[in-house]
Amino acid sequence: MDRPKKMPHVKSVETKYMEERDSLMRGLAQLDRRAFMKVSAAAAGIIAAKGLVPPHSFTPVKVEAQDARGGKGESFRFAYISDSHLYDRTLNDRFINALMRAVDDVNAMDPQPDFVLYGGDLAQLGAATELDLGAQILKNLKAPMRIMVGEHDWYLDMGEKWRDLFGEPTYSFDHKGVHFVTINSVVEKDFWTARKLTPKERMLTVAGLDNGVQSPFSVGEEQRAWLKADLAKVSPKTPTIVFSHSPLYKLYKPWNFWTDDADEVQAILKRQQSVTVIHGHTHQLLTNRIGNMHFHGMLSTAWPWPYAPEGLPEMTIQMARPDPFNPNDGCGDGSMLVHPDGLIDKVYNLWNRNPITIKKTYMTSRGAKDKPQAPTRASY
Ligand SMILES: [Fe+2]
Ligand SMILES: [Fe+2]
């Protein structure tokens, strides 16, 4: 008598992807360099086999044509991950695990976001090993990626490795009727040559926010001219979203929560009727409105900064004081729902708290409508 045949166990593409990805992620922390490269190649294979769109950052940035689904009038969502501050995996795997958690969060979004914004400070000390590791982990994102540069990525080799991996840090693109601009807003005046600092000393100086030696961040004349020329090609009516690592306003200079030429940059942006700036660097819930410009800070995956002792923007819904015994508290990732007018509802996906949504209507009513629930514990 024939024995009933056992049904072959068919794994879904998703399950296979997650298994392969998990084994890659599990291995990352302990591998030597040769083995790591082997695993990295395998990950690239997984992505190719799945037909996933690789992150934009591994090819030169192109200006996209209007989205095929119809351009204007459509809202859409993008996710964000920011400020992972990766050390080499032999030194610290906590921040590596945090970035992997964010990649998991974003990959689990259903529907998938149109793209993922990486907000800068991928590395802690600008080392090639740190940036390679970050690029490797970010390759596991299912959605395409857009990336901006942070000061921690840049000042060891003045952006050489970062540009190798991700292309130029200044670019624009159009998506569903919105014009996006990405700039390098962590340009510093040369404080190192006269002091005869080594590249490593320069990097360590920039990495310490409040040492008083480095110069304040700026966008600089060259990029301001580029921005002006870029916007001249766009109608003032086109909603415009700017990706900038530093906030593009003057918040608190002693910590370099500050963009020195913010006034000049805002004067250029003013031409656009709807301007939203999304920034990293401040590692906290931060919301500001200056005239018609809306400014939105992103969470870090690595650590939350306390609020600056003065000058906190009025529109900010403050985050509760993070629990010092939980290394993930006050950290997280998030997403932005972009309305057809370019204004956004932003979601702070805090890992140890309920998510907090700051709605467009809260911003347009200057806080009168849709005010999110205030935190129940004191902020810093
Ligand atoms: Fe940062
Ligand atoms: Fe930063």
Side-chain angles (χ1 to χ4, degrees):
M1 195 175 105
D2 284 349
R3 273 196 293 181
K5 274 189 192 142
K6 218 175 150 191
M7 279 290 285
H9 178 61
V10 181
K11 287 180 184 170
S12 73
V13 173
E14 190 69 23
T15 306
K16 273 200 240 165
Y17 170 79
M18 289 312 290
E19 283 178 0
E20 282 161 344
R21 184 203 161 285
D22 282 349
S23 75
L24 164 72
M25 295 304 193
R26 266 199 308 275
L28 272 176
Q30 324 118 0
L31 291 174
D32 64 25
R33 188 171 159 76
R34 245 181 87 216
F36 176 69
M37 297 313 284
K38 245 169 99 179
V39 171
S40 302
I46 295 166
I47 289 166
K50 277 200 71 192
L52 298 173
V53 185
H56 106 279
S57 46
F58 302 98
T59 53
V61 178
K62 293 189 292 272
V63 174
E64 281 179 357
Q66 194 93 311
D67 183 79
R69 276 190 286 160
K72 285 182 180 167
E74 199 179 343
S75 36
F76 60 92
R77 191 176 286 280
F78 66 88
Y80 77 77
I81 303 175
S82 195
D83 290 270
S84 299
H85 291 267
L86 301 180
Y87 286 90
D88 189 278
R89 63 187 186 283
T90 55
L91 291 177
N92 171 327
D93 63 6
R94 192 179 112 202
F95 295 164
I96 298 171
N97 291 333
L99 177 57
M100 294 191 304
R101 178 173 179 176
V103 168
D104 273 351
D105 282 353
V106 171
N107 281 347
M109 284 172 71
D110 183 17
Q112 275 287 285
D114 282 14
F115 60 87
V116 186
L117 168 66
Y118 191 86
D121 286 352
L122 180 58
Q124 171 61 10
L125 295 172
T129 47
E130 298 168 352
L131 289 165
D132 273 332
L133 177 60
Q136 188 54 46
I137 296 171
L138 292 173
K139 272 186 189 171
N140 288 276
L141 285 167
K142 292 186 204 168
M145 183 177 73
R146 305 285 177 183
I147 190 165
M148 59 171 128
V149 74
E151 78 279 14
H152 286 259
D153 302 320
W154 197 259
Y155 283 92
L156 183 64
D157 62 2
M158 301 308 287
E160 207 180 306
K161 177 67 183 178
W162 194 92
R163 280 191 302 245
D164 267 3
L165 287 167
F166 304 118
E168 287 304 317
T170 311
Y171 60 94
S172 62
F173 61 97
D174 295 289
H175 187 74
K176 294 185 179 169
V178 176
H179 187 62
F180 287 87
V181 172
T182 309
I183 52 175
N184 170 6
S185 55
V186 294
V187 176
E188 298 222 8
K189 289 200 184 81
D190 184 348
F191 62 83
W192 49 90
T193 307
R195 289 185 171 87
K196 297 191 168 54
L197 300 186
T198 63
K200 197 164 181 193
E201 286 166 337
R202 175 178 60 205
M203 180 68 248
L204 284 168
T205 306
V206 174
L209 278 180
D210 57 352
N211 51 41
V213 172
Q214 61 187 304
S215 73
F217 296 140
S218 69
V219 172
E221 217 178 304
E222 204 182 318
Q223 279 185 106
R224 291 201 309 269
W226 175 88
L227 180 63
K228 218 171 169 176
D230 182 74
L231 293 180
K233 291 180 254 164
V234 179
S235 159
K237 287 186 182 155
T238 303
T240 301
I241 298 183
V242 182
F243 295 153
S244 158
H245 183 69
S246 77
L248 285 192
Y249 61 93
K250 292 175 173 175
L251 175 53
Y252 190 63
K253 200 169 187 179
W255 293 355
N256 233 347
F257 284 7
W258 187 270
T259 305
D260 218 37
D261 54 356
D263 300 343
E264 286 102 312
V265 178
Q266 287 174 22
I268 297 167
L269 291 171
K270 236 181 208 161
R271 174 188 185 273
Q272 303 307 107
Q273 286 165 15
S274 166
V275 177
T276 297
V277 177
I278 316 272
H279 67 86
H281 187 61
T282 49
H283 300 206
Q284 58 198 202
L285 269 72
L286 195 60
T287 308
N288 194 11
R289 183 175 161 179
I290 300 172
N292 282 335
M293 291 178 210
H294 297 194
F295 300 83
H296 294 289
M298 292 182 277
L299 294 173
S300 159
T301 61
W303 70 81
W305 281 122
Y307 284 110
E310 58 189 44
L312 194 68
E314 209 183 317
M315 297 293 291
T316 296
I317 299 296
Q318 295 183 38
M319 62 205 292
R321 187 186 175 94
D323 174 358
F325 297 104
N326 181 337
N328 287 323
D329 199 24
C331 298
D333 43 53
S335 71
M336 315 266 175
L337 175 70
V338 183
H339 293 278
D341 58 6
L343 301 180
I344 62 168
D345 295 348
K346 73 174 158 182
V347 180
Y348 287 110
N349 179 35
L350 289 149
W351 283 335
N352 198 38
R353 311 259 168 178
N354 291 328
I356 293 177
T357 301
I358 313 285
K359 287 195 169 173
K360 159 193 151 167
T361 42
Y362 167 77
M363 299 297 289
T364 51
S365 68
R366 291 194 179 271
K369 277 190 206 162
D370 289 328
K371 190 171 181 174
Q373 201 189 349
T376 48
R377 293 190 225 171
S379 296
Y380 275 101

mmCIF file of all heavy atoms in Angstrom, residues 340-367:
data_model
loop_
_atom_site.group_PDB
_atom_site.id
_atom_site.type_symbol
_atom_site.label_atom_id
_atom_site.label_comp_id
_atom_site.label_asym_id
_atom_site.label_seq_id
_atom_site.Cartn_x
_atom_site.Cartn_y
_atom_site.Cartn_z
ATOM 1 N N PRO A 340 -0.981 66.091 -0.450
ATOM 2 C CA PRO A 340 -0.720 66.684 -1.775
ATOM 3 C C PRO A 340 -0.154 68.107 -1.718
ATOM 4 O O PRO A 340 0.554 68.518 -2.618
ATOM 5 C CB PRO A 340 -2.102 66.676 -2.437
ATOM 6 C CG PRO A 340 -2.835 65.572 -1.766
ATOM 7 C CD PRO A 340 -2.342 65.539 -0.357
ATOM 8 N N ASP A 341 -0.421 68.839 -0.615
ATOM 9 C CA ASP A 341 0.143 70.197 -0.508
ATOM 10 C C ASP A 341 1.562 70.190 0.053
ATOM 11 O O ASP A 341 2.143 71.238 0.329
ATOM 12 C CB ASP A 341 -0.756 71.084 0.361
ATOM 13 C CG ASP A 341 -0.953 70.526 1.770
ATOM 14 O OD1 ASP A 341 -0.310 69.515 2.118
ATOM 15 O OD2 ASP A 341 -1.749 71.104 2.533
ATOM 16 N N GLY A 342 2.139 69.010 0.260
ATOM 17 C CA GLY A 342 3.523 68.901 0.727
ATOM 18 C C GLY A 342 3.668 68.948 2.235
ATOM 19 O O GLY A 342 4.745 68.727 2.772
ATOM 20 N N LEU A 343 2.578 69.252 2.968
ATOM 21 C CA LEU A 343 2.656 69.251 4.433
ATOM 22 C C LEU A 343 2.484 67.817 4.929
ATOM 23 O O LEU A 343 1.914 66.972 4.234
ATOM 24 C CB LEU A 343 1.602 70.179 5.025
ATOM 25 C CG LEU A 343 1.733 71.643 4.563
ATOM 26 C CD1 LEU A 343 0.651 72.508 5.209
ATOM 27 C CD2 LEU A 343 3.114 72.199 4.880
ATOM 28 N N ILE A 344 2.969 67.562 6.129
ATOM 29 C CA ILE A 344 3.040 66.159 6.542
ATOM 30 C C ILE A 344 2.380 65.896 7.896
ATOM 31 O O ILE A 344 2.272 66.785 8.736
ATOM 32 C CB ILE A 344 4.505 65.675 6.616
ATOM 33 C CG1 ILE A 344 5.279 66.478 7.660
ATOM 34 C CG2 ILE A 344 5.207 65.760 5.277
ATOM 35 C CD1 ILE A 344 6.622 65.874 7.975
ATOM 36 N N ASP A 345 1.958 64.637 8.049
ATOM 37 C CA ASP A 345 1.656 64.079 9.364
ATOM 38 C C ASP A 345 2.868 63.209 9.688
ATOM 39 O O ASP A 345 3.179 62.288 8.930
ATOM 40 C CB ASP A 345 0.421 63.165 9.331
ATOM 41 C CG ASP A 345 -0.865 63.921 9.000
ATOM 42 O OD1 ASP A 345 -0.855 65.166 9.017
ATOM 43 O OD2 ASP A 345 -1.873 63.250 8.708
ATOM 44 N N LYS A 346 3.552 63.527 10.787
ATOM 45 C CA LYS A 346 4.737 62.696 11.078
ATOM 46 C C LYS A 346 4.465 61.781 12.251
ATOM 47 O O LYS A 346 3.794 62.165 13.215
ATOM 48 C CB LYS A 346 5.974 63.547 11.333
ATOM 49 C CG LYS A 346 5.991 64.267 12.649
ATOM 50 C CD LYS A 346 7.311 64.990 12.922
ATOM 51 C CE LYS A 346 7.073 66.088 13.942
ATOM 52 N NZ LYS A 346 8.253 66.877 14.254
ATOM 53 N N VAL A 347 4.988 60.582 12.144
ATOM 54 C CA VAL A 347 4.813 59.582 13.197
ATOM 55 C C VAL A 347 6.176 59.299 13.828
ATOM 56 O O VAL A 347 7.126 58.953 13.135
ATOM 57 C CB VAL A 347 4.249 58.255 12.630
ATOM 58 C CG1 VAL A 347 4.065 57.230 13.744
ATOM 59 C CG2 VAL A 347 2.940 58.500 11.899
ATOM 60 N N TYR A 348 6.247 59.538 15.135
ATOM 61 C CA TYR A 348 7.439 59.131 15.879
ATOM 62 C C TYR A 348 7.166 57.734 16.418
ATOM 63 O O TYR A 348 6.338 57.555 17.319
ATOM 64 C CB TYR A 348 7.688 60.079 17.060
ATOM 65 C CG TYR A 348 8.216 61.441 16.657
ATOM 66 C CD1 TYR A 348 7.426 62.583 16.782
ATOM 67 C CD2 TYR A 348 9.521 61.592 16.194
ATOM 68 C CE1 TYR A 348 7.922 63.837 16.452
ATOM 69 C CE2 TYR A 348 10.026 62.841 15.859
ATOM 70 C CZ TYR A 348 9.219 63.961 15.992
ATOM 71 O OH TYR A 348 9.720 65.196 15.656
ATOM 72 N N ASN A 349 7.839 56.771 15.868
ATOM 73 C CA ASN A 349 7.662 55.395 16.333
ATOM 74 C C ASN A 349 8.679 55.125 17.440
ATOM 75 O O ASN A 349 9.773 54.625 17.207
ATOM 76 C CB ASN A 349 7.858 54.430 15.156
ATOM 77 C CG ASN A 349 7.718 52.986 15.560
ATOM 78 O OD1 ASN A 349 6.914 52.651 16.437
ATOM 79 N ND2 ASN A 349 8.528 52.113 14.969
ATOM 80 N N LEU A 350 8.300 55.514 18.655
ATOM 81 C CA LEU A 350 9.199 55.331 19.805
ATOM 82 C C LEU A 350 9.201 53.862 20.213
ATOM 83 O O LEU A 350 8.143 53.251 20.326
ATOM 84 C CB LEU A 350 8.713 56.212 20.960
ATOM 85 C CG LEU A 350 8.924 57.718 20.746
ATOM 86 C CD1 LEU A 350 7.855 58.526 21.445
ATOM 87 C CD2 LEU A 350 10.317 58.135 21.204
ATOM 88 N N TRP A 351 10.379 53.335 20.450
ATOM 89 C CA TRP A 351 10.450 51.896 20.694
ATOM 90 C C TRP A 351 9.907 51.466 22.047
ATOM 91 O O TRP A 351 9.561 50.323 22.247
ATOM 92 C CB TRP A 351 11.900 51.415 20.544
ATOM 93 C CG TRP A 351 12.310 51.302 19.111
ATOM 94 C CD1 TRP A 351 11.478 51.107 18.051
ATOM 95 C CD2 TRP A 351 13.628 51.371 18.578
ATOM 96 N NE1 TRP A 351 12.216 51.059 16.886
ATOM 97 C CE2 TRP A 351 13.530 51.205 17.175
ATOM 98 C CE3 TRP A 351 14.897 51.549 19.137
ATOM 99 C CZ2 TRP A 351 14.640 51.210 16.336
ATOM 100 C CZ3 TRP A 351 15.997 51.553 18.307
ATOM 101 C CH2 TRP A 351 15.864 51.387 16.924
ATOM 102 N N ASN A 352 9.882 52.381 22.997
ATOM 103 C CA ASN A 352 9.448 51.967 24.325
ATOM 104 C C ASN A 352 8.233 52.755 24.820
ATOM 105 O O ASN A 352 7.977 52.828 26.009
ATOM 106 C CB ASN A 352 10.615 52.147 25.308
ATOM 107 C CG ASN A 352 10.412 51.371 26.568
ATOM 108 O OD1 ASN A 352 9.907 50.249 26.541
ATOM 109 N ND2 ASN A 352 10.770 51.969 27.691
ATOM 110 N N ARG A 353 7.542 53.373 23.875
ATOM 111 C CA ARG A 353 6.406 54.223 24.237
ATOM 112 C C ARG A 353 5.345 54.076 23.162
ATOM 113 O O ARG A 353 5.621 53.572 22.080
ATOM 114 C CB ARG A 353 6.821 55.699 24.238
ATOM 115 C CG ARG A 353 8.071 55.992 24.993
ATOM 116 C CD ARG A 353 7.754 56.558 26.334
ATOM 117 N NE ARG A 353 8.964 56.571 27.156
ATOM 118 C CZ ARG A 353 9.011 57.044 28.370
ATOM 119 N NH1 ARG A 353 7.925 57.523 28.919
ATOM 120 N NH2 ARG A 353 10.114 57.019 29.071
ATOM 121 N N ASN A 354 4.174 54.635 23.421
ATOM 122 C CA ASN A 354 3.193 54.710 22.351
ATOM 123 C C ASN A 354 3.713 55.649 21.269
ATOM 124 O O ASN A 354 4.393 56.628 21.578
ATOM 125 C CB ASN A 354 1.868 55.252 22.876
ATOM 126 C CG ASN A 354 1.198 54.255 23.800
ATOM 127 O OD1 ASN A 354 1.343 53.044 23.611
ATOM 128 N ND2 ASN A 354 0.491 54.738 24.800
ATOM 129 N N PRO A 355 3.379 55.360 20.012
ATOM 130 C CA PRO A 355 3.815 56.287 18.963
ATOM 131 C C PRO A 355 3.135 57.648 19.118
ATOM 132 O O PRO A 355 2.038 57.744 19.671
ATOM 133 C CB PRO A 355 3.374 55.605 17.664
ATOM 134 C CG PRO A 355 2.454 54.513 18.052
ATOM 135 C CD PRO A 355 2.641 54.214 19.505
ATOM 136 N N ILE A 356 3.781 58.682 18.666
ATOM 137 C CA ILE A 356 3.220 60.037 18.724
ATOM 138 C C ILE A 356 3.126 60.592 17.303
ATOM 139 O O ILE A 356 4.100 60.540 16.550
ATOM 140 C CB ILE A 356 4.096 60.945 19.600
ATOM 141 C CG1 ILE A 356 4.029 60.463 21.054
ATOM 142 C CG2 ILE A 356 3.655 62.415 19.491
ATOM 143 C CD1 ILE A 356 4.889 61.217 22.025
ATOM 144 N N THR A 357 1.924 61.061 16.951
ATOM 145 C CA THR A 357 1.729 61.628 15.613
ATOM 146 C C THR A 357 1.540 63.133 15.725
ATOM 147 O O THR A 357 0.722 63.614 16.511
ATOM 148 C CB THR A 357 0.494 60.997 14.940
ATOM 149 O OG1 THR A 357 0.703 59.587 14.859
ATOM 150 C CG2 THR A 357 0.297 61.546 13.523
ATOM 151 N N ILE A 358 2.290 63.863 14.953
ATOM 152 C CA ILE A 358 2.134 65.318 14.859
ATOM 153 C C ILE A 358 1.471 65.584 13.508
ATOM 154 O O ILE A 358 2.066 65.325 12.458
ATOM 155 C CB ILE A 358 3.497 66.048 14.909
ATOM 156 C CG1 ILE A 358 4.387 65.528 16.039
ATOM 157 C CG2 ILE A 358 3.306 67.570 14.941
ATOM 158 C CD1 ILE A 358 4.025 65.955 17.423
ATOM 159 N N LYS A 359 0.239 66.052 13.538
ATOM 160 C CA LYS A 359 -0.509 66.199 12.288
ATOM 161 C C LYS A 359 -0.255 67.533 11.619
ATOM 162 O O LYS A 359 0.028 68.540 12.290
ATOM 163 C CB LYS A 359 -2.005 66.055 12.573
ATOM 164 C CG LYS A 359 -2.389 64.630 12.858
ATOM 165 C CD LYS A 359 -3.876 64.465 12.773
ATOM 166 C CE LYS A 359 -4.215 62.987 12.796
ATOM 167 N NZ LYS A 359 -5.647 62.770 12.890
ATOM 168 N N LYS A 360 -0.455 67.524 10.328
ATOM 169 C CA LYS A 360 -0.401 68.742 9.518
ATOM 170 C C LYS A 360 -1.322 69.815 10.099
ATOM 171 O O LYS A 360 -0.960 70.989 10.193
ATOM 172 C CB LYS A 360 -0.805 68.355 8.088
ATOM 173 C CG LYS A 360 -1.277 69.458 7.215
ATOM 174 C CD LYS A 360 -1.933 68.929 5.952
ATOM 175 C CE LYS A 360 -2.987 69.914 5.472
ATOM 176 N NZ LYS A 360 -3.462 69.666 4.111
ATOM 177 N N THR A 361 -2.517 69.389 10.540
ATOM 178 C CA THR A 361 -3.491 70.357 11.049
ATOM 179 C C THR A 361 -3.024 70.999 12.362
ATOM 180 O O THR A 361 -3.355 72.144 12.651
ATOM 181 C CB THR A 361 -4.855 69.678 11.272
ATOM 182 O OG1 THR A 361 -4.616 68.413 11.876
ATOM 183 C CG2 THR A 361 -5.596 69.500 9.965
ATOM 184 N N TYR A 362 -2.253 70.271 13.152
ATOM 185 C CA TYR A 362 -1.652 70.850 14.358
ATOM 186 C C TYR A 362 -0.705 71.989 13.952
ATOM 187 O O TYR A 362 -0.689 73.062 14.560
ATOM 188 C CB TYR A 362 -0.902 69.751 15.124
ATOM 189 C CG TYR A 362 0.001 70.265 16.212
ATOM 190 C CD1 TYR A 362 -0.517 70.696 17.433
ATOM 191 C CD2 TYR A 362 1.386 70.336 16.022
ATOM 192 C CE1 TYR A 362 0.311 71.178 18.435
ATOM 193 C CE2 TYR A 362 2.226 70.816 17.013
ATOM 194 C CZ TYR A 362 1.686 71.240 18.222
ATOM 195 O OH TYR A 362 2.506 71.721 19.196
ATOM 196 N N MET A 363 0.039 71.743 12.873
ATOM 197 C CA MET A 363 0.999 72.747 12.395
ATOM 198 C C MET A 363 0.283 73.952 11.780
ATOM 199 O O MET A 363 0.620 75.090 12.076
ATOM 200 C CB MET A 363 1.927 72.135 11.334
ATOM 201 C CG MET A 363 2.762 70.971 11.810
ATOM 202 S SD MET A 363 3.903 71.415 13.115
ATOM 203 C CE MET A 363 5.091 72.424 12.220
ATOM 204 N N THR A 364 -0.712 73.693 10.913
ATOM 205 C CA THR A 364 -1.345 74.811 10.207
ATOM 206 C C THR A 364 -2.194 75.653 11.164
ATOM 207 O O THR A 364 -2.380 76.842 10.949
ATOM 208 C CB THR A 364 -2.215 74.319 9.028
ATOM 209 O OG1 THR A 364 -3.087 73.300 9.516
ATOM 210 C CG2 THR A 364 -1.363 73.751 7.906
ATOM 211 N N SER A 365 -2.709 75.027 12.228
ATOM 212 C CA SER A 365 -3.511 75.794 13.195
ATOM 213 C C SER A 365 -2.627 76.379 14.298
ATOM 214 O O SER A 365 -3.130 76.879 15.295
ATOM 215 C CB SER A 365 -4.580 74.890 13.814
ATOM 216 O OG SER A 365 -3.967 73.907 14.637
ATOM 217 N N ARG A 366 -1.324 76.267 14.138
ATOM 218 C CA ARG A 366 -0.355 76.734 15.149
ATOM 219 C C ARG A 366 -0.680 76.168 16.525
ATOM 220 O O ARG A 366 -0.693 76.879 17.525
ATOM 221 C CB ARG A 366 -0.300 78.252 15.204
ATOM 222 C CG ARG A 366 0.320 78.863 13.956
ATOM 223 C CD ARG A 366 0.674 80.324 14.161
ATOM 224 N NE ARG A 366 1.278 80.874 12.958
ATOM 225 C CZ ARG A 366 2.581 80.849 12.690
ATOM 226 N NH1 ARG A 366 3.425 80.293 13.519
ATOM 227 N NH2 ARG A 366 3.045 81.362 11.563
ATOM 228 N N GLY A 367 -1.010 74.901 16.539
ATOM 229 C CA GLY A 367 -1.187 74.217 17.807
ATOM 230 C C GLY A 367 -2.602 74.224 18.357
ATOM 231 O O GLY A 367 -2.876 73.619 19.392
#
